[in-house]
Amino acid sequence: QVQLVQSGAEVKKPGASVKVSCKASGYAFTSHAITWVRQAPGQGLEWMGWISAYNYNTNYAQRFQGRVTMTTDTSTSTAYMELRSLRSDDTAVYYCARGDMLTFGGFAPPPPAEYFHHWGQGTLVTVSS
Amino acid sequence: DIQMTQSPSSLSASVGDRVTITCRASHNIKTYLNWYQQKPGKAPELLIYAASSLQSGVPSRFSGSGYGTDFTLTISSLQPEDFATYYCQQSYNMPRAFGQGTKVEVK
């Protein structure tokens, strides 16, 4: 069965960096992209970015550009999200999710639709002095 | 960037009620819209993808509809396990924005 297992909780000081891992199993790792989503305490879900496990292409949310790096290691089927220059408002639970794609048939089909059925358990990152 | 706006932000309902949550996109996203349920301390769970396709294993009391900019998630008869927060999310382009969430509470 598909599983995404994330690394454990972290406590960091402002200005530091954190690297969260997401180990995948139960499927061909390079066949699906990985998306990172975070959730601050009591707040909603925030899309951070996306990485193709096939060709390493990335797409980051504008607000994280320059502070975040998403990578994958196909030898261990693990995705990583590194966030630098941490601030107190980066305190959140960070989730990884596997992208699944609904493809459409017919002549000149539209682009596939991505959705997230498989999620990691979340990693709490606390930023505090 | 496409903005997703849900309404209401919260609602109170009773077991057996019909519940409707609305999601509006700032641009035409066709049917590139997903719905998730989240309970406290848990990762989100996929309910509906591509606006109206029910994820396998999700009870049939959940349904989704809509096209373009206006979408709805309907729970036909609210069950005790449905008290949770619901999020819409667009997958038309990146960034794949989420709505702000709708919390369904016990009346």
Side-chain angles (χ1 to χ4, degrees), chain A residues 117, chain B residues 45-48 54-63:
Chain A
H117 177 41
Chain B
E45 292 189 3
L46 178 69
L47 299 174
I48 303 285
L54 188 69
Q55 172 63 28
S56 176
V58 174
S60 59
R61 62 181 179 272
F62 291 93
S63 64

Side-chain angles (χ1 to χ4, degrees), chain A residues 39 95 111 114-117, chain B residues 32 34 36 38 89 91 96:
Chain A
Q39 186 170 39
Y95 294 101
E114 185 181 45
Y115 55 94
F116 306 122
H117 177 41
Chain B
Y32 292 83
N34 306 318
Y36 301 87
Q38 189 182 33
Q89 183 221 7
S91 62
R96 301 215 193 286

Side-chain angles (χ1 to χ4, degrees), chain B residues 3-7 22-27 69-71 88:
Chain B
Q3 311 298 320
M4 307 301 293
T5 304
Q6 289 181 231
S7 61
T22 297
C23 178
R24 176 162 289 175
S26 61
H27 297 82
T69 60
D70 294 307
F71 302 87
C88 63

Side-chain angles (χ1 to χ4, degrees), chain A residues 7 13 18 21 25 27 38 51 57 71 75 78 97 99 110 119 129:
Chain A
S7 48
K13 293 193 181 303
V18 69
S21 67
S25 61
Y27 72 96
R38 78 175 187 179
I51 180 167
N57 283 349
T71 57
S75 69
T78 303
W119 294 71
S129 55

